Amino acid sequence: MKHVNHLAAEGYAFIPGSDYQALPDTHYENKDIFLSDLEQLKLAYESLTLDPYSPGNRWRGYAQCRRDAEGKLFFGHFTAYKQTKKYNPDTGGIIRQYPLLPENITANRLMQAILQDDIAFVEAYERIGPLEELTVGIHLFRYEAQCDAPAYSSPVWLHKDDEDVVFVHLIHASANMLGGDNLIAPNPKNIERVLRLENLFDTLVVNHDKYHAVTPVGCREPGETAVRDIILVTFQRTEGEAA
């Protein structure tokens, strides 16, 4: 509960990847199967689609998630994905369509364990209503940068999201990566904290109380490519403009 309380009090929480190390013990018969699912999850980033709505050299896939009465998760595109201009002046105001994440990823037990953990976190948080009244989004992002072509988010600087709670889970960051630091701020002119997700499953959770951003990603040497792979899991009340 300490991370839930920190989010409620401070507008963000950092969850070290070590906190997720219980996943193999609680969801797997043995470590080899866990490592196989982790490798499958990492390979998913090789088949993402270049984001046509953003110039930031980001590759992505997307799905939405619902939970039935038995607790089983199922996936699809249930509502239009649209952010408002208020929160995203770059690509807000339009419906964006992305390829649905394939079943071998949404059914991946490691992915499902992460989602169930995030859902339990939000249910303990209690501030945004029951899961049945929320749109749950799963975004796989790869930031892929060359030295003369950085990769960056949209919006690129301090902002808030339409979504009420956002989890940023690190899956991989190449050793030659520059940037990719997460910023937390009470307002657009005062950076409060800089966080760097470095280890597998290192996670940042944010709500609407603070501004946040991730710095552009670059690489250390000419001719190299740097990548940063994350899973973004978002929870948003279904009412309002940005369904």
Side-chain angles (χ1 to χ4, degrees):
M1 283 294 292
K2 67 177 181 179
H3 300 306
V4 175
N5 293 337
H6 199 278
L7 175 67
E10 302 295 337
Y12 75 96
F14 170 72
I15 307 173
S18 58
D19 282 22
Y20 290 88
Q21 294 310 307
L23 286 174
D25 297 331
T26 56
H27 294 272
Y28 289 88
E29 296 85 1
N30 60 67
K31 189 175 181 180
D32 288 340
I33 299 176
F34 167 77
L35 292 175
S36 176
D37 279 359
L38 177 60
E39 183 62 23
Q40 182 186 57
L41 185 57
K42 288 182 174 181
L43 285 174
Y45 290 87
E46 303 295 333
S47 58
L48 299 181
T49 299
L50 184 65
D51 190 340
Y53 304 98
S54 170
N57 294 316
R58 294 188 307 172
W59 302 72
R60 69 189 295 176
Y62 177 66
Q64 292 170 347
C65 171
R66 289 179 175 172
R67 185 179 65 186
D68 64 18
E70 286 72 43
K72 181 180 178 180
L73 303 179
F74 57 104
F75 302 84
H77 289 159
F78 305 119
T79 61
Y81 177 50
K82 178 183 175 183
Q83 294 181 317
T84 60
K85 282 285 187 180
K86 173 184 176 182
Y87 289 113
N88 190 339
D90 295 338
T91 52
I94 60 172
I95 294 174
R96 287 183 279 168
Q97 297 179 332
Y98 298 105
L100 182 67
L101 291 172
E103 186 177 357
N104 70 323
I105 297 306
T106 56
N108 181 291
R109 283 191 294 179
L110 181 55
M111 171 69 82
Q112 295 230 350
I114 292 170
L115 291 173
Q116 293 282 17
D117 194 78
D118 291 351
I119 289 169
F121 187 110
V122 167
E123 289 180 326
Y125 178 63
E126 294 185 334
R127 290 194 176 191
I128 59 174
L131 188 69
E132 294 71 26
E133 297 177 7
L134 305 176
T135 296
V136 183
I138 303 100
H139 314 245
L140 265 62
F141 280 103
R142 164 163 283 186
Y143 294 79
E144 184 173 296
Q146 284 79 41
C147 284
D148 59 349
Y152 50 89
S153 188
S154 174
V156 70
W157 192 231
L158 290 167
H159 65 281
K160 296 183 179 182
D161 294 317
D162 282 278
E163 294 87 356
D164 298 281
V165 175
V166 177
F167 292 80
V168 184
H169 300 285
L170 180 71
I171 301 302
H172 173 69
S174 58
N176 65 339
M177 184 187 77
L178 294 173
D181 295 307
N182 292 96
L183 311 178
I184 303 296
N187 59 67
K189 296 183 179 181
N190 180 17
I191 295 172
E192 175 181 314
R193 187 170 179 189
V194 179
L195 297 167
R196 188 171 182 85
L197 307 182
E198 298 181 287
N199 302 306
L200 176 65
F201 300 143
D202 276 357
T203 296
L204 173 66
V205 193
V206 297
N207 66 16
H208 271 176
D209 294 340
K210 295 286 174 68
Y211 289 82
H212 64 275
V214 60
T215 60
V217 170
C219 57
R220 297 181 184 278
E221 298 292 339
E224 292 185 345
T225 298
V227 297
R228 180 177 186 261
D229 296 338
I230 63 169
I231 301 172
L232 207 71
V233 183
T234 61
F235 294 81
Q236 183 178 357
R237 296 181 182 92
T238 53
E239 71 271 19
E241 285 187 65

